[in-house]
Amino acid sequence: MFKICPNCGAHNTATAKFCTRCGTSLAGVVATAETAVQSAQPTSENEASTANTAAVSEQSSVPSSLTSSTAQNQPVTPQQAQSQVTPPDNSQQQVPPQPAGTQTQSQQTAQGPAPTAQPYQQADQTQQQAQKPPEEPNPTVEATKKYAGSYWRYLVDSIKHPATVTRPYHQYFGLTSLAITIVSLALTIALMTGSAVSSLPGAIASNVLMTFLKLVFLVAVLMIAVVAVYYLVVNGMLGDRRRSFLTFTTEYAFHCNWMVFFSVFTLLMQMLGMINIGSIFLIWLLLSLGSGLFVISGTYMLFTAQSTNRFDKIYAYLIVGILLVIVFLIIMTFGLSSILGGIGQGINDFGRSFNF
């Protein structure tokens, strides 16, 4: 005699109170004979296979416990959901080894076409251009632009009010004005004599050019010497030591900056071919006005100086005149003699060319 468990169908002894397999209570179960058990076993096996099939189908769709919990409006924790919904483990499936560097058709389809290297190179170039710092301006060019702008303001102020220096200026502006005047006059004379010299033999043309360069250097030395004499008298005799020599030169040129425009104007007339008898008279008039302004500026600087040793300015002006005569004689003695010697040599060469 046996007791068949109504839950799992296990065989138990007739005196068993609980199932030895699943622990179900066997209090109301009646012991049956062996034939009944054999006849009932196929049915239980069919039921068990049916139950297993149903369990597999429920597991493949939605877990029963999760569905029941949702139906009963009971919250499901993330641990329960993760433990109940677990994808099938495919780690035990054996994949045949493939040679290195090969891919299956599914992997190639998932990855898509291999990207080319050109977009990455363009991205690298764009990133390098973005990271490249902006080019800094050339400090020499910027300083030159600033100096030119300030010098133009200096010229405009000197034309508006040549007798009044209202602000401090760069200490090299005076030397710049003198240099522009000398170079402009030198180029004007060179262009005027160029056509005549071009028709002369090579040796004579070279001699004339050297004489011209000596004359330009002589004029430059003479202008600097005049400014230096006025500075020595104002600084030494009158005791006005407020300015250095370069600052004094800048203020000196401030009072006579018209000569810069006169010299540049004559140069432009010569370059444009506007030189005739009337224009030559105009050029000499402008040059005379420029020279007169240069001399008047020194006198103005002398009489507007702040005397600290009570030395009379009239006597100082007389001393300036004497010193200028001495300087002029010295420069002309050494410089003019060289120039005259060059002119004489040129005349001799010119005479030999015509067999005089």
Side-chain angles (χ1 to χ4, degrees), residues 17-40:
K17 296 182 179 180
F18 298 94
C19 178
T20 58
R21 178 181 295 179
C22 63
T24 304
S25 177
L26 302 176
V29 178
V30 180
T32 59
E34 183 177 0
T35 57
V37 173
Q38 292 178 356
S39 62

Side-chain angles (χ1 to χ4, degrees), residues 228-246:
V229 167
Y230 277 104
Y231 174 75
L232 290 176
V233 172
V234 171
N235 187 276
M237 294 184 178
L238 299 181
D240 188 359
R241 298 180 176 84
R242 295 174 301 168
R243 294 157 295 197
S244 63
F245 176 72
L246 293 177

Side-chain angles (χ1 to χ4, degrees), residues 5-68:
C5 177
N7 185 27
C8 62
H11 294 80
N12 299 281
T13 58
T15 58
K17 296 182 179 180
F18 298 94
C19 178
T20 58
R21 178 181 295 179
C22 63
T24 304
S25 177
L26 302 176
V29 178
V30 180
T32 59
E34 183 177 0
T35 57
V37 173
Q38 292 178 356
S39 62
Q41 185 174 1
T43 304
S44 63
E45 290 179 356
N46 292 333
E47 292 177 356
S49 62
T50 303
N52 291 333
T53 304
V56 171
S57 62
E58 290 177 359
Q59 184 177 2
S60 62
S61 58
V62 180
S64 59
S65 59
L66 183 60
T67 305
S68 61

Side-chain angles (χ1 to χ4, degrees), residues 33-178:
E34 183 177 0
T35 57
V37 173
Q38 292 178 356
S39 62
Q41 185 174 1
T43 304
S44 63
E45 290 179 356
N46 292 333
E47 292 177 356
S49 62
T50 303
N52 291 333
T53 304
V56 171
S57 62
E58 290 177 359
Q59 184 177 2
S60 62
S61 58
V62 180
S64 59
S65 59
L66 183 60
T67 305
S68 61
S69 300
T70 305
Q72 296 177 5
N73 296 328
Q74 293 181 359
V76 180
T77 60
Q79 292 79 5
Q80 293 176 354
Q82 184 176 4
S83 60
Q84 292 172 359
V85 183
T86 304
D89 189 5
N90 297 327
S91 60
Q92 295 180 358
Q93 296 180 359
Q94 295 181 357
V95 179
Q98 297 179 357
T102 60
Q103 294 180 348
T104 61
Q105 184 176 2
S106 60
Q107 291 176 350
Q108 293 178 356
T109 304
Q111 292 180 0
T116 60
Q118 185 176 2
Y120 294 101
Q121 293 178 357
Q122 293 178 355
D124 293 340
Q125 293 177 358
T126 304
Q127 186 177 5
Q128 291 177 0
Q129 293 177 358
Q131 294 178 356
K132 185 178 180 180
E135 296 182 358
E136 296 182 357
N138 191 340
T140 304
V141 175
E142 295 298 324
T144 303
K145 291 180 180 179
K146 184 177 180 181
Y147 183 88
S150 301
Y151 179 73
W152 176 252
R153 179 66 180 273
Y154 166 76
L155 288 178
V156 172
D157 292 343
S158 65
I159 298 303
K160 290 181 178 179
H161 303 285
T164 306
V165 181
T166 58
R167 68 183 69 188
Y169 296 99
H170 198 281
Q171 60 180 355
Y172 291 111
F173 283 174
L175 294 179
T176 303
S177 294
L178 296 180

Side-chain angles (χ1 to χ4, degrees), residues 106-348:
S106 60
Q107 291 176 350
Q108 293 178 356
T109 304
Q111 292 180 0
T116 60
Q118 185 176 2
Y120 294 101
Q121 293 178 357
Q122 293 178 355
D124 293 340
Q125 293 177 358
T126 304
Q127 186 177 5
Q128 291 177 0
Q129 293 177 358
Q131 294 178 356
K132 185 178 180 180
E135 296 182 358
E136 296 182 357
N138 191 340
T140 304
V141 175
E142 295 298 324
T144 303
K145 291 180 180 179
K146 184 177 180 181
Y147 183 88
S150 301
Y151 179 73
W152 176 252
R153 179 66 180 273
Y154 166 76
L155 288 178
V156 172
D157 292 343
S158 65
I159 298 303
K160 290 181 178 179
H161 303 285
T164 306
V165 181
T166 58
R167 68 183 69 188
Y169 296 99
H170 198 281
Q171 60 180 355
Y172 291 111
F173 283 174
L175 294 179
T176 303
S177 294
L178 296 180
I180 293 174
T181 302
I182 294 170
V183 172
S184 299
L185 293 176
L187 291 176
T188 302
I189 298 173
L191 292 175
M192 292 176 65
T193 58
S195 58
V197 172
S198 61
S199 60
L200 297 176
I204 299 175
S206 177
N207 195 356
V208 172
L209 179 60
M210 290 300 298
T211 303
F212 168 73
L213 294 177
K214 291 178 182 179
L215 182 60
V216 172
F217 178 75
L218 183 64
V219 173
V221 172
L222 183 60
M223 295 181 69
I224 297 297
V226 171
V227 178
V229 167
Y230 277 104
Y231 174 75
L232 290 176
V233 172
V234 171
N235 187 276
M237 294 184 178
L238 299 181
D240 188 359
R241 298 180 176 84
R242 295 174 301 168
R243 294 157 295 197
S244 63
F245 176 72
L246 293 177
T247 305
F248 184 86
T249 304
T250 298
E251 294 188 8
Y252 192 109
F254 184 89
H255 303 307
C256 58
N257 267 336
W258 269 109
M259 65 181 183
V260 176
F261 292 94
F262 292 159
S263 60
V264 173
F265 178 74
T266 57
L267 177 60
L268 291 177
M269 290 183 64
Q270 181 63 44
M271 293 176 64
L272 296 176
M274 301 172 60
I275 302 299
N276 51 35
I277 297 176
S279 62
I280 291 176
F281 176 76
L282 177 61
I283 289 174
W284 283 110
L285 177 61
L286 294 177
L287 293 178
S288 300
L289 290 175
S291 302
L293 283 174
F294 184 75
V295 175
I296 292 173
S297 297
T299 305
Y300 181 80
M301 293 286 291
L302 178 66
F303 283 98
T304 56
Q306 295 181 0
S307 179
T308 59
N309 53 11
R310 297 182 180 181
F311 192 84
D312 194 274
K313 295 181 180 179
I314 296 295
Y315 294 139
Y317 181 70
L318 292 176
I319 293 174
V320 167
I322 295 172
L323 292 175
L324 288 178
V325 171
I326 295 173
V327 169
F328 184 79
L329 290 175
I330 293 174
I331 293 176
M332 289 302 170
T333 300
F334 294 96
L336 191 60
S337 61
S338 177
I339 293 174
L340 292 177
I343 294 175
Q345 183 66 32
I347 294 173
N348 293 331

